[in-house]
Amino acid sequence: MTLAAHFAGGRDYLAACTLGLPPRATVAAVTADLEAAASGRPDVGAATRAVEDARRSYARLVSAPVSRVAIAAQTSVAVSLIAAAVPDGAEVLCADGDFASLVAPFAHAGRGVRLRSVPLRRLADEMTADTWLVAFSLVQSATGEVADAAAIAAAAARTGTRTLCDMTQAAGWLPVDATLFDATVCHAYKWLCAPRGVAFLTLSPALASELRPVQAGWYSGDDPWASCYGASAPLAADARRFDVSPAWQAFVGAAPALALFASADPAAIHAHATGLAAHFRAVMGLAEPERPSAIVTWPDADGCALARLTASGIIASGRAGRARVAFHVFNDEDDVDRALSALRAAPLKLAV
């Protein structure tokens, strides 16, 4: 992959699903920003421009109008905004075992809000006219399973159900289109290789009209620098009214990382990442998923497989009793072979 040259490391790092590696441009931007601040010359104007550069790059990456993109700090914060709008007693449908930041805000919404959980593959079938919202991760963190987004969106259209898709484990390796859904959230510190603390929320105009800007602050104003005091300044007319105050240095680092991925060929990245994952699965004797995924997981209740990888200097992860490896733009066939060699140290029982 041509993007590999933009990263200083990556060998033996199979954990983009946990934390992405910063590209060289991100390291340079954050270092320069910190050095300027340390010298008594912080550049707040440049940081503010970085926020808007990041917003535009993200909009391009997820094929959404920039007017529909709000900035956030964490996915749970953005999801909470939507949870606050669920009508009293309404049903929210989610996938079994989905990530807590997506489902917990609904589980604790109170007001009689009912959170119902079903297997991911059943989401489209389980929606009814009584389902106010379906919330799901496009790619499951614990298993790497890719949701059938088209089927879910089609079912939601038939039942009049609103859709919320978490793209945190997808954007950066899987081509995505945020306009398929009423809302999407994404924390950019994984596959988009941005600093932690940079997240995004996209909203359809219809859903945006149903939400109250309960987290409104000075950065939610039409002109943030004129919205610093009091409550009289008008909020932005577009999705920026749902902005939270940005972590400037995080966005300084995020802007070049997002620009890098927004300018890349998403189909090429997808082919590269899923191709490496498919090679790994084939040698391991693991079944290929219905929809290709850059994340590979297998049962590892005793942590033996993860321990072997770690002992060999390979950075991987374990989630929900499964070992987990991920392949991204900075990985290549050598990473696959080195991981396989580490796991061949003794026979592994791969029950699926």
Side-chain angles (χ1 to χ4, degrees), residues 327-342:
F327 299 95
H328 204 12
V329 295
F330 40 70
N331 298 124
D332 57 24
E333 292 286 351
D334 284 345
D335 288 308
V336 177
D337 293 339
R338 289 161 72 91
L340 291 169
S341 294

Side-chain angles (χ1 to χ4, degrees), residues 205-339:
L207 182 58
S209 69
E210 298 184 56
L211 304 183
R212 290 183 299 112
V214 294
Q215 296 160 173
W218 73 280
Y219 215 81
S220 308
D222 185 54
D223 176 4
W225 294 105
S227 306
C228 297
Y229 306 102
S232 60
L235 295 180
D238 59 12
R240 291 180 299 118
R241 69 182 179 274
F242 301 110
D243 280 1
V244 298
S245 181
W248 279 330
Q249 287 168 341
F251 273 91
V252 165
L258 290 165
L260 179 66
F261 282 96
S263 65
D265 179 355
I269 294 177
H270 178 264
H272 173 79
T274 58
L276 295 177
H279 177 191
F280 182 88
R281 286 191 196 91
V283 177
M284 288 282 287
L286 298 170
E288 192 66 19
E290 183 178 357
R291 284 167 289 278
S293 179
I295 301 173
V296 184
T297 73
W298 65 95
D300 187 36
D302 60 3
C304 181
L306 182 58
R308 289 180 203 169
L309 291 168
T310 302
S312 297
I314 295 168
I315 306 300
S317 55
R319 294 292 186 273
R322 303 177 71 85
R324 186 177 70 163
V325 294
F327 299 95
H328 204 12
V329 295
F330 40 70
N331 298 124
D332 57 24
E333 292 286 351
D334 284 345
D335 288 308
V336 177
D337 293 339
R338 289 161 72 91

Side-chain angles (χ1 to χ4, degrees), residues 32-343:
D33 184 73
L34 287 171
E35 288 177 346
S39 69
R41 296 293 185 271
D43 193 341
V44 174
T48 303
R49 289 191 294 274
V51 173
E52 297 313 314
D53 288 344
R55 191 197 308 266
R56 283 189 293 271
S57 290
Y58 183 76
R60 177 182 173 189
L61 195 144
V62 302
S63 302
V66 69
S67 60
R68 296 189 186 186
V69 179
I71 62 168
Q74 310 290 342
T75 55
S76 59
V77 174
V79 172
S80 295
L81 184 70
I82 298 171
V86 179
D88 294 358
E91 177 183 273
V92 175
L93 184 66
C94 71
D96 291 342
D98 214 328
F99 199 70
S101 294
L102 177 66
V103 298
F106 300 108
H108 300 287
R111 301 179 287 105
V113 171
R114 296 170 288 120
L115 183 64
R116 182 163 64 94
S117 173
V118 300
L120 180 66
R121 66 183 181 277
R122 295 286 304 166
L123 277 181
D125 298 323
E126 293 284 343
M127 263 180 272
T128 73
D130 291 329
T131 307
W132 190 85
L133 175 78
V134 58
F136 67 101
S137 293
L138 186 54
V139 178
Q140 292 293 301
S141 173
T143 65
E145 184 179 0
V146 180
D148 188 344
I152 294 170
R158 289 193 299 270
T159 59
T161 301
R162 295 154 188 81
T163 51
L164 167 60
C165 179
D166 186 345
M167 295 182 168
T168 300
Q169 290 288 6
W173 72 267
L174 181 67
V176 294
D177 182 352
T179 64
L180 292 175
F181 312 103
D182 292 299
T184 72
V185 291
C186 179
H187 201 157
Y189 77 102
K190 293 182 183 287
W191 298 90
L192 292 173
C193 300
R196 187 168 169 82
V198 173
F200 298 93
L201 166 70
T202 71
L203 293 167
S204 69
L207 182 58
S209 69
E210 298 184 56
L211 304 183
R212 290 183 299 112
V214 294
Q215 296 160 173
W218 73 280
Y219 215 81
S220 308
D222 185 54
D223 176 4
W225 294 105
S227 306
C228 297
Y229 306 102
S232 60
L235 295 180
D238 59 12
R240 291 180 299 118
R241 69 182 179 274
F242 301 110
D243 280 1
V244 298
S245 181
W248 279 330
Q249 287 168 341
F251 273 91
V252 165
L258 290 165
L260 179 66
F261 282 96
S263 65
D265 179 355
I269 294 177
H270 178 264
H272 173 79
T274 58
L276 295 177
H279 177 191
F280 182 88
R281 286 191 196 91
V283 177
M284 288 282 287
L286 298 170
E288 192 66 19
E290 183 178 357
R291 284 167 289 278
S293 179
I295 301 173
V296 184
T297 73
W298 65 95
D300 187 36
D302 60 3
C304 181
L306 182 58
R308 289 180 203 169
L309 291 168
T310 302
S312 297
I314 295 168
I315 306 300
S317 55
R319 294 292 186 273
R322 303 177 71 85
R324 186 177 70 163
V325 294
F327 299 95
H328 204 12
V329 295
F330 40 70
N331 298 124
D332 57 24
E333 292 286 351
D334 284 345
D335 288 308
V336 177
D337 293 339
R338 289 161 72 91
L340 291 169
S341 294
L343 293 168

